[in-house]
Amino acid sequence: MDLGVLLRSLIPSLQSVYVLVSYFVYLAVAGELLPGKVIRGVVLSDGSQLRYRCNGLFALTLLVAILGISAKLGIVSPLVVADRGLELLSATFIFCVLVTLVLYISGRSSSDKTSSLKPHVSGNLVHDWWFGIQLNPQFLSIDLKFFFVRAGMMGWLLINLSILAKSVQDDSLSQSMILYQIFCALYILDYFVHEEYMTSTWDIIAERLGFMLVFGDLLWIPFTFSIQACNCVFDNEPGWWLLHNKVQLTVPAIVANCFVFLIGYMVFRGANKQKHIFKKNPKTPIWGKPPVVVGGKLLASGYWGIARHCNYLGDLMLALSFSLPCGISSPVPYFYPIYLLILLIWRERRDEVRCAEKYKEIWAEYLRLVPYRILPYVY
Ligand code: NDP
C-alpha cells in the first residue's frame, strides 16, 4: 500500500470519532442500567472487595440486536467498521494516550489510601504512565479496568461481524471465513457467559491501570486478534486478509481444526472454572474426586495437577484454531497465537515470582507436586 494513502487513512474522520464515542457511551449506560449478577472481587490487601456487575452478555446481545435492526433499516452501515478500520484504530490509539494521561495526572494527585486507589508513584514519568499508578481507578463510579476489557472483547466481535458483512456483500464468503467467525464468536460469547471469572484474573487483581493495559484492552485485543480476517497494513490495499486471500481447506483439515478448537476450549474453560470454583469452595470435588490441596490454598489436582498453567495451554490452542482456517501460506494470520505464546510465557514467569513470594513454602511444595509450567513433559 502507498505510504501516503496509508497515512491519510489513519487520520480519524469525525464519523470514526462518533462511532467510538457512541460505543463507549452505550457500554457505560448499558453496564450501569442492564441487570446482571453482582460479583464480589477478590479481597484486596486492605480487606476491601470491589463489586462487578456482570451484565456483559446482555449488553453485547442488545448491542448486536440494535446494530442489526439499524442496519436493516438503513440507519447504520454494517460495513462501517470494516471500511474505516485504520481510522478507528488511530482514533482508539489517540483515545488510549489521552485517557492514560488523565489517569496519570489524577492518580498522582490522589491522596486516597485504599488498595484500589492508593497511588503507586515511582517518580519515573514513562514507567508510571505505562504501568499505571492506581489499581482500580473509577470514572462516574464505573470501574475502568473492567470497562476497558469488556470494550475490547466486544470490539473484537464487532470488527469480525463487520468483516463478515463485507465478505457477504463482496460475495467472497469462504469456508475459512465461516470457521474463523464461528470459533471467535463462540470464544467471545463464552467469555461473557463466564464474565465473572474475569474478576479473579491477573489483570484485574494485580495489574495497575496504565497505558499498557488500556492499549492492550482497547486496541490490541480487537484490532490485532482479528488479523486473520483483516490485513490492513501488509496487503496491497486496505482490506481484510481472508477477504483478499483464497484458502482451499480439505475436509480432514477442517475436522482437525475443529478438534484443536474443541480440545483447546475444554482445557481453557475447564482449568479456569476449576480454579474459580476452588477459590469459592476448596472442598468442591474435582473430576468427581476430593481435590488435592497444598497448604490449604493451592489446587494440585484436575488441570492444576497436570501443569501449573493448563489454562494458558488451552488458550494457546484456541488461538491456533483461529488462525488455522487461513492455511499456512502466510505467517501474518499467525500473529495472534505467536504473540499470545510470548505474552503467556512472560506472564507465567511473572506470576510464578508473585506466587512464590505470596505462598512461600506452600508454593515450593506445589512445584514439587506439579513440575510442568504450561505443557506437560515439554515446558
Ligand atoms: P490465572 O487465571 O492462571 O491466575 C493466576 C493466579 O491464580 C495466581 O496469581 C494465583 O493467584 C492463582 N493460582 C495459581 N495457581 C493456583 C493453584 N494451583 N491453585 C489456586 N490458585 C492458583 O492467570 P491469568 O489471570 O493470567 O489468566 C486467566 C485467563 O486469561 C487464562 O486462561 C489466560 O489464558 C487468559 N488470558 C488471555 C489473554 C489473551 O490475550 N488472550 C491475556 C492474558 C490472559 P492468587 O494469589 O489469587 O492465589
Side-chain angles (χ1 to χ4, degrees):
M1 185 199 219
D2 178 72
L3 188 64
V5 177
L6 175 66
L7 290 178
R8 269 197 301 282
S9 51
L10 275 168
I11 299 169
S13 65
L14 262 182
Q15 195 185 5
S16 54
V17 174
Y18 175 69
V19 168
L20 205 62
V21 171
S22 314
Y23 179 51
F24 288 144
V25 169
Y26 169 81
L27 287 184
V29 173
E32 286 303 292
L33 297 185
L34 296 179
K37 207 163 151 189
V38 178
I39 296 294
R40 280 168 174 269
V42 295
V43 180
L44 299 174
S45 52
D46 63 355
S48 63
Q49 270 179 301
L50 296 179
R51 284 161 190 269
Y52 300 93
R53 188 189 293 264
C54 296
N55 55 7
L57 187 64
F58 195 171
L60 176 62
T61 318
L62 185 63
L63 179 59
V64 172
I66 292 171
L67 289 175
I69 293 167
S70 307
K72 199 96 188 134
L73 296 174
I75 300 168
V76 170
S77 163
L79 309 184
V80 68
V81 179
D83 285 344
R84 293 182 179 274
L86 285 177
E87 267 180 54
L88 283 166
L89 183 141
S90 56
T92 308
F93 179 76
I94 294 167
F95 177 82
C96 290
V97 173
L98 293 178
V99 87
T100 48
L101 286 176
V102 173
L103 284 173
Y104 173 81
I105 294 165
S106 63
R108 274 207 73 133
S109 51
S110 167
S111 53
D112 206 297
K113 297 276 182 287
T114 59
S115 299
S116 296
L117 298 174
K118 189 174 149 191
H120 297 263
V121 184
S122 74
N124 179 329
L125 188 148
V126 176
H127 177 278
D128 292 343
W129 167 74
W130 180 268
F131 287 107
I133 289 186
Q134 293 169 304
L135 187 62
N136 301 106
Q138 299 192 342
F139 177 68
L140 298 176
S141 80
I142 296 168
D143 182 279
L144 290 177
K145 214 193 264 182
F146 199 60
F147 178 84
F148 288 146
V149 71
R150 179 181 274 192
M153 291 299 286
M154 286 190 196
W156 179 13
L157 184 68
L158 296 180
I159 289 178
N160 283 351
L161 292 179
S162 188
I163 296 167
L164 179 66
K166 192 162 175 68
S167 73
V168 170
Q169 194 207 45
D170 294 355
D171 212 10
S172 64
L173 187 60
S174 61
Q175 281 174 339
S176 302
M177 179 66 91
I178 294 171
L179 276 185
Y180 166 80
Q181 292 283 347
I182 292 175
F183 292 155
C184 289
L186 287 175
Y187 181 76
I188 296 165
L189 287 176
D190 174 79
Y191 171 89
F192 285 109
V193 168
H194 298 98
E195 197 178 20
E196 69 175 272
Y197 295 180
M198 188 63 206
T199 60
S200 61
T201 58
W202 164 276
D203 282 353
I204 295 283
I205 62 180
E207 209 80 84
R208 294 196 284 272
L209 190 63
F211 183 78
M212 185 179 78
L213 213 56
V214 176
F215 175 85
D217 288 343
L218 291 184
L219 195 143
W220 197 256
I221 292 178
F223 289 96
T224 69
F225 290 12
S226 55
I227 274 181
Q228 295 89 326
C230 76
N231 186 17
C232 317
V233 180
F234 301 103
D235 212 352
N236 295 330
E237 54 178 315
W240 310 100
W241 202 89
L242 279 173
L243 288 178
H244 294 271
N245 295 273
K246 286 272 165 284
V247 181
Q248 277 304 327
L249 294 176
T250 60
V251 174
I254 294 175
V255 172
N257 198 166
C258 292
F259 203 62
V260 174
F261 175 81
L262 289 173
I263 301 280
Y265 176 77
M266 207 174 72
V267 176
F268 165 79
R269 182 49 64 216
N272 284 324
K273 198 169 185 170
Q274 282 179 353
K275 189 186 76 173
H276 191 77
I277 289 171
F278 172 76
K279 293 272 179 197
K280 289 206 152 174
N281 177 8
K283 293 200 171 109
T284 312
I286 300 288
W287 288 341
K289 292 187 190 145
V292 177
V293 183
V294 186
K297 292 193 172 143
L298 293 170
L299 175 62
S301 58
Y303 289 108
W304 298 87
I306 296 174
R308 299 198 293 277
H309 265 105
C310 251
N311 52 347
Y312 288 180
L313 175 65
D315 213 357
L316 287 166
M317 288 181 74
L318 284 169
L320 183 66
S321 77
F322 302 159
S323 300
L324 288 173
C326 302
I328 49 168
S329 63
S330 163
V332 174
Y334 288 83
F335 177 85
Y336 174 45
I338 293 168
Y339 146 77
L340 194 65
L341 180 67
I342 297 167
L343 174 95
L344 292 183
I345 288 177
W346 179 55
R347 180 179 283 229
E348 189 272 335
R349 296 268 164 172
R350 291 167 74 204
D351 193 40
E352 290 266 320
V353 173
R354 179 181 172 274
C355 289
E357 273 169 19
K358 180 174 172 182
Y359 292 112
K360 300 195 168 62
E361 64 283 352
I362 301 179
W363 189 256
E365 174 62 17
Y366 181 48
L367 293 192
R368 270 192 293 280
L369 279 177
V370 187
Y372 300 108
R373 292 170 184 273
I374 295 177
L375 184 61
Y377 304 104
V378 178
Y379 179 72

